[in-house]
Amino acid sequence: MKSDQPYVARYADLPGDIQDKAKHLCWGYSQTDPVAKVERYAILRTLLGTVDETVFIGTNFSCDYGFNIHFNGFSFINNNCTILDSSPVNIGANVFLAPGVCLTCTGHALIAEQRRNGIITSAPITLAADVWLGANVVVRGGVTIGQGSIIGAGSIVTHDIPAGVVAVGNPCKVLRKVTEADRLAL
C-alpha cells in the first residue's frame, strides 16, 4: 500500500483495523470545534502520514487510511473532501482543494464476478505545488497533476495533466495554458 506502484488486491486483505482507526479520527476531527486549532492539528498529526500546522482541512473530511496522505507544505482543503488513500497521495505546497473534491486511488474490477469477490485496484495520486482543484473534482488513481495547473469544477481527471494549464471536463482535457493575461488587478 505504501508503494508508488499500482496494484491489484482483495479488499478483505487490506488492513481493516487501520481503516477503522482512520474513520474514527475523521469523525473526531469533524466533531471538533473549527476554531480549536491545537486539537484539530493533533488529530491530523495522528491521522496523516505527513502534515504540518500550515495545512488547513475543513469539516467532513474523510479518508480510508490516512497514513498514505502526505502534505508538503501549506495546503487548503475545503469542506466535504474525500481521499481514498489505498496508495500514496502526495500533495505539494500551496495546493487548494475546493469543496467536494474526491481523490480516489482505489478502483474496482471491471468484471462483475471479480467485483463481487472484492477485487480492487489502486494507484498513487500526485498533486504538484500550486495546483487548484475546483468544486466537486474527482481525481482517479495513477494521475499526476503538474505544478500550477487548475482543474475546473466538476471535472473528472482520468489521466495526467501537465504543468501550468487550465483543464476541464469529463474526461478532463487541457483547455489552455495559464498566462500573464490571467493575472488579477488589485
Side-chain angles (χ1 to χ4, degrees):
M1 290 181 71
K2 293 183 178 183
S3 171
D4 285 334
Q5 297 302 310
Y7 67 90
V8 176
R10 292 185 188 283
Y11 182 77
D13 294 335
L14 299 178
D17 57 329
I18 297 173
Q19 194 171 42
D20 289 344
K21 178 183 175 188
K23 287 178 185 177
H24 178 74
L25 289 167
C26 288
W27 176 83
Y29 185 79
S30 288
Q31 302 306 311
T32 305
D33 186 333
V35 298
K37 293 178 181 170
V38 173
E39 293 168 288
R40 288 171 68 85
Y41 176 61
I43 293 170
L44 292 179
R45 223 177 34 246
T46 302
L47 174 63
L48 302 175
T50 310
V51 65
D52 67 34
E53 63 279 350
T54 66
V55 173
F56 171 84
I57 299 179
T59 58
N60 297 320
F61 171 75
S62 64
C63 64
D64 274 347
Y65 299 98
F67 69 83
N68 256 342
I69 301 170
H70 304 281
F71 288 95
N72 298 297
F74 167 76
S75 287
F76 185 90
I77 312 306
N78 215 314
N79 300 326
N80 302 315
C81 285
T82 300
I83 301 177
L84 305 180
D85 60 316
S86 54
S87 286
V89 176
N90 293 296
I91 299 173
N94 305 309
V95 166
F96 286 73
L97 304 186
V101 166
C102 179
L103 308 179
T104 177
C105 295
T106 307
H108 297 281
L110 297 179
I111 304 297
E113 173 191 355
Q114 290 184 310
R115 262 192 324 276
R116 284 192 304 270
N117 290 319
I119 305 297
I120 66 153
T121 62
S122 187
I125 293 172
T126 300
L127 306 179
D130 302 311
V131 164
W132 173 24
L133 305 184
N136 299 309
V137 166
V138 175
V139 179
R140 298 254 339 237
V143 167
T144 295
I145 299 177
Q147 183 172 352
S149 285
I150 300 158
I151 308 299
S155 296
I156 299 178
V157 186
T158 60
H159 61 276
D160 291 352
I161 301 295
V165 299
V166 176
V168 298
N170 178 10
C172 189
K173 294 184 174 142
V174 174
L175 183 63
R176 63 181 180 84
K177 289 187 178 207
V178 176
T179 69
E180 275 300 309
D182 295 310
R183 186 174 299 280
L184 298 175
L186 292 176

